[in-house]
Amino acid sequence: MATPRAGNIDAVRHYSVKLDSPTSNASGTVAVYGHYGRPVLVFPTELGQAWEFAEHGMVAAVEDLIEAGRVKLYCADSFDAATWSADYLPLEERARRHASYESWIVDAVVPHVRADSGEAAEIATAGCSMGAFHALNFALKRADLFPLALCFSGNYEPAAWRSWGERGDAVYFNSPVDYVANLHGEHLEWLRSRVSALLVCGQGQWEDTTGALASTRRMAQLLGARGLRHELDLWGPDVPHDWPSWRAQFAHHLSRFC
C-alpha cells in the first residue's frame, strides 16, 4: 500500500473560524484548507477537533488537489464528548444530545461553507472511523445539503458502540443500519435520485475489533437493497484501522469527486 506523505501544510492556504449556532447554544471551530474547489465537510474521529485532519497528514495527502483548486476542505470540531462518547449517559440521551451538533452543522457550518464557496456548490461529507458515521448519517438525513458521503472505516450502528440503556426514536433516527432498512415511498425515491455514498474499509488490524469491517459490509448491503447509489471498496488484510491507511484511501478516491 502506497502511503502519501504526511508533511506539513504550510504551503496550503488555510484559516480557522469559530462559529455559533443561531438556533442553540452550540459553538465550535472549523479549520479550512484551500482557496477554491468543491467543498468537503470533514468530520473528525472520535473526540477529534478541527485541526485533526491536518495533524495526521490527511490535508497533505491531497495537497495537489487543494492547490489545483479542485477541492476545499472544511474540517469541523466534534461534539462527541458531550454526545456519543459520554459513556456515563444512556444511549438514548446521547442521541438526544446529538441534536445540538446537528443544529451547529446545519445552522452555522453550512451557511459559512456556502458563503465561502458559493451558494451553488454541492457539499460532500467525509470522515474516518466515527467521522465516517457522521459523514454518512448527515448525508442520508440531509441529502438536500450533502449529496455525497465519503466514509472510511466507519461503524454505522451506535447501539454496537460502548453503550447501555434504552433505544428510542433518537437512537433509531441516528442509526443508518436501522433506518435505511425501513426507507420507502417518495422519500426513498428522492434519496435514490439525490444521494450517493462511498464506503471504504481495510481488512487489517482493528477493523474487526472496532466493528468497522462488518458494519461497512452490512451498510453496503442495506444501501443496495434500497437501490441507493453506493460503492464498497474493501482494502486488503495489510490495511489497518489507522491514519496511514486513511491517507492512502482518501488520496486514492477524492480526485474522482472533485
Side-chain angles (χ1 to χ4, degrees), residues 97-148:
R97 291 189 177 195
H98 173 73
S100 66
Y101 191 51
E102 283 193 352
S103 74
W104 180 64
I105 292 292
V106 171
D107 300 328
V109 177
V110 168
H112 177 80
V113 173
R114 285 182 163 170
D116 196 48
S117 288
E119 290 292 329
E122 289 197 329
I123 306 170
T125 61
C128 307
S129 196
M130 190 177 283
F133 157 76
H134 287 302
L136 184 64
N137 192 40
F138 270 98
L140 290 172
K141 292 177 68 176
R142 292 304 306 265
D144 57 319
L145 302 176
F146 313 114
L148 171 67

Side-chain angles (χ1 to χ4, degrees), residues 140 143 180 182-196 223-229:
L140 290 172
V180 167
N182 294 313
L183 290 171
H184 64 280
E186 292 183 1
H187 182 62
L188 175 58
E189 290 301 321
W190 179 77
L191 282 175
R192 286 171 176 163
S193 70
R194 178 66 181 170
V195 74
S196 60
L223 292 171
R226 285 292 176 266
L228 293 167
R229 288 195 303 269

Side-chain angles (χ1 to χ4, degrees), residues 14-247:
H14 60 280
Y15 69 90
S16 65
V17 59
K18 184 177 180 181
L19 300 173
D20 300 321
S21 172
T23 58
S24 71
N25 293 324
S27 179
T29 297
V30 176
V32 184
Y33 303 90
H35 57 91
Y36 190 74
R38 181 171 192 174
V40 177
L41 175 58
V42 175
F43 296 96
T45 62
E46 185 174 10
L47 301 173
Q49 300 304 311
W51 299 107
E52 179 189 68
F53 227 54
E55 291 172 348
H56 288 278
M58 298 291 286
V59 174
V62 295
E63 181 181 346
D64 57 337
L65 299 177
I66 295 172
E67 289 300 287
R70 293 174 59 182
V71 67
K72 193 168 185 178
L73 303 180
Y74 295 82
C75 302
D77 278 344
S78 78
F79 287 10
D80 297 331
T83 59
W84 298 110
S85 300
D87 293 346
Y88 59 92
L89 294 173
L91 183 59
E92 183 70 4
E93 178 58 25
R94 298 185 213 180
R96 291 191 191 103
R97 291 189 177 195
H98 173 73
S100 66
Y101 191 51
E102 283 193 352
S103 74
W104 180 64
I105 292 292
V106 171
D107 300 328
V109 177
V110 168
H112 177 80
V113 173
R114 285 182 163 170
D116 196 48
S117 288
E119 290 292 329
E122 289 197 329
I123 306 170
T125 61
C128 307
S129 196
M130 190 177 283
F133 157 76
H134 287 302
L136 184 64
N137 192 40
F138 270 98
L140 290 172
K141 292 177 68 176
R142 292 304 306 265
D144 57 319
L145 302 176
F146 313 114
L148 171 67
L150 309 177
C151 310
F152 304 88
S153 300
N155 185 327
Y156 307 102
E157 185 178 9
W161 306 342
R162 305 179 307 273
S163 61
W164 59 277
E166 66 173 350
R167 295 176 56 188
D169 286 348
V171 172
Y172 175 84
F173 287 109
N174 284 290
S175 179
V177 164
D178 290 324
Y179 64 71
V180 167
N182 294 313
L183 290 171
H184 64 280
E186 292 183 1
H187 182 62
L188 175 58
E189 290 301 321
W190 179 77
L191 282 175
R192 286 171 176 163
S193 70
R194 178 66 181 170
V195 74
S196 60
L198 171 69
L199 306 177
V200 183
C201 194
Q203 300 180 73
Q205 190 175 25
W206 306 307
E207 296 287 33
D208 54 351
T209 55
T210 59
L213 181 56
S215 189
T216 297
R217 284 173 166 154
R218 176 62 176 152
M219 199 69 247
Q221 292 172 348
L222 290 168
L223 292 171
R226 285 292 176 266
L228 293 167
R229 288 195 303 269
H230 71 284
E231 295 180 50
L232 173 64
D233 183 20
L234 299 181
W235 292 38
D238 60 331
V239 181
H241 186 98
D242 204 358
W243 290 105
S245 307
W246 300 328
R247 286 196 294 269

